[in-house]
Amino acid sequence: MTDLSLADRPAALAHGGRIGSDLQAQRVRSAWLFLAPTFLVLGLVAGWPLIRTIYFSFTNASLTNLSGAEFVGFANYLSWITLKSGRTIYRGLLADPAWWNAVWNTLKFTVLSVSIETALGLIVALVLNAQFPGRGLVRAAILIPWAIPTIVSAKMWAWMLNDQFGILNDMLIGLGLIGEKIAWTASPDTAMIAVLIVDVWKTTPFMALLILAGLQMVPGDIYEAAKIDGVHPVRVFWRITLPLIRPALMVAVIFRMLDALRIFDLIYVLTPNNAQTKTMSVMARENLFDFDKFAYGAAASTMLFLIIATITILYMWLGRLNLSGGER
């Protein structure tokens, strides 16, 4: 083969660039073609119900008369009337103390549960990443709590936390940690603690699994070099391990945070009708079906969606998270 002259090289490079650009465009078209059925299904099963829910939140719809709903604007969110005395009475979701209590409960549960599960999941992942006999069996066993359906876990723990015949009270009394039996799920002081205990037990394996996947992507020769240089293991963790698994750790946190913000089944089964643990999802469900305030419940569902979307976008922006490939 003869080398290209200097005059011919720009044309060849331009030709090669056009081929690469055409190939990239073809790949993008193929990707969208394969993703189109998925987007269609998501639009039908998720997008359309979301649009309908947002629409009903601006109407006076009831569960028994959805077709006869009339547009009422933002009345379900916020409205007010001024009495002759000059006093103004505010109504609607944004003026409802029960709603803001549910928002606070949800945020408190999310922060506490995700923080504890991230810390414990990181510890478990580091242990499972080490070499020891029977590691495969332990990795499989650690996933059992996560594999159990949430409803089953909630009912199982409800029996264990029962104040009369629950095993947890018997164990704590036997160890001398408490003097009398505690109604864990009924007492205002312990209801949230009970929910957190069950959620941490169930979901920590999920966090550990995602973090373990990130740990296994770290090259082993980095640790060997640090060991040869005599770097302390604690410093290795903070300077090498944690920065390298940060993308996987942040993805794990955002997945868990999305689950925690929309928590429903665990709260609804374990602590029903408890104001100390009632979350946004539980309140929305009660208004939609139990209280026959469908439009009000639709407004609560819409606000829940907006809050989750806002928190997620802020987290991704502040954490410089790029779900397509780690960090930006």
Side-chain angles (χ1 to χ4, degrees), residues 16-311:
R18 285 195 301 271
I19 294 176
S21 179
D22 292 342
L23 181 59
Q24 181 65 21
Q26 183 179 0
R27 289 177 175 175
V28 171
R29 287 194 298 269
S30 299
W32 280 109
L33 181 64
F34 284 113
L35 288 173
T38 302
F39 287 142
L40 179 61
V41 173
L42 283 176
L44 292 175
V45 302
W48 176 243
L50 175 62
I51 293 173
R52 291 281 289 175
T53 300
I54 295 174
Y55 164 74
F56 283 129
S57 70
F58 294 100
T59 68
N60 60 355
S62 64
L63 191 61
T64 57
N65 188 24
L66 293 178
S67 59
E70 298 178 356
F71 185 78
V72 295
F74 288 91
N76 290 314
Y77 294 96
L78 185 64
S79 64
W80 61 88
I81 57 173
T82 302
L83 304 178
K84 293 181 179 180
S85 61
R87 178 189 174 192
T88 302
I89 300 177
Y90 293 92
R91 297 176 179 174
L93 189 70
L94 298 180
D96 189 349
W99 165 252
W100 291 111
N101 177 66
V103 173
W104 166 245
N105 288 338
T106 305
L107 295 178
K108 180 171 65 173
F109 170 81
T110 299
V111 172
L112 292 176
S113 64
V114 174
S115 300
I116 296 172
E117 289 159 10
T118 301
L120 294 179
L122 181 58
I123 295 172
V124 173
L126 289 171
V127 172
L128 295 180
N129 194 48
Q131 296 287 343
F132 60 88
R135 183 176 65 169
L137 181 61
V138 175
R139 285 181 176 180
I142 203 71
L143 293 176
I144 292 177
W146 180 52
I148 298 175
T150 305
I151 299 297
V152 177
S153 299
K155 294 300 293 184
M156 178 180 68
W157 276 92
W159 283 96
M160 294 172 62
L161 294 169
N162 187 275
D163 58 328
Q164 297 299 322
F165 38 78
I167 189 175
L168 185 63
N169 278 326
D170 288 340
M171 292 175 59
L172 294 178
I173 291 176
L175 294 173
L177 298 178
I178 58 175
E180 58 182 7
K181 294 183 177 181
I182 300 174
W184 291 94
T185 59
S187 172
D189 298 327
T190 58
M192 181 61 74
I193 296 175
V195 171
L196 286 170
I197 290 173
V198 180
D199 190 73
V200 169
W201 173 82
K202 176 174 174 54
T203 319
T204 296
F206 172 75
M207 297 293 289
L209 181 65
L210 295 183
I211 298 173
L212 179 61
L215 285 171
Q216 298 204 327
M217 296 298 292
V218 179
D221 53 359
I222 297 180
Y223 294 115
E224 293 178 4
K227 186 176 181 180
I228 293 174
D229 292 339
V231 182
H232 194 275
V234 175
R235 189 166 183 173
V236 170
F237 171 77
W238 289 107
R239 295 297 182 89
I240 297 177
T241 304
L242 199 58
L244 290 177
I245 67 170
R246 181 174 177 269
L249 185 62
M250 295 192 68
V251 170
V253 169
I254 195 172
F255 283 169
R256 181 66 200 110
M257 183 175 64
L258 290 174
D259 274 342
L261 286 171
R262 57 185 179 84
I263 185 70
F264 169 78
D265 42 8
L266 180 62
I267 304 289
Y268 192 75
V269 174
L270 196 62
T271 57
N273 302 320
N274 194 321
Q276 281 69 37
T277 60
K278 183 175 295 185
T279 60
M280 292 184 284
S281 296
V282 175
M283 183 176 176
R285 193 265 178 196
E286 286 180 344
N287 283 282
L288 283 168
F289 303 109
D290 295 345
F291 304 154
D292 195 19
K293 299 168 65 177
F294 193 85
Y296 198 78
S301 300
T302 302
M303 286 299 300
L304 171 61
F305 167 73
L306 292 176
I307 291 173
I308 292 177
T310 302
I311 292 177

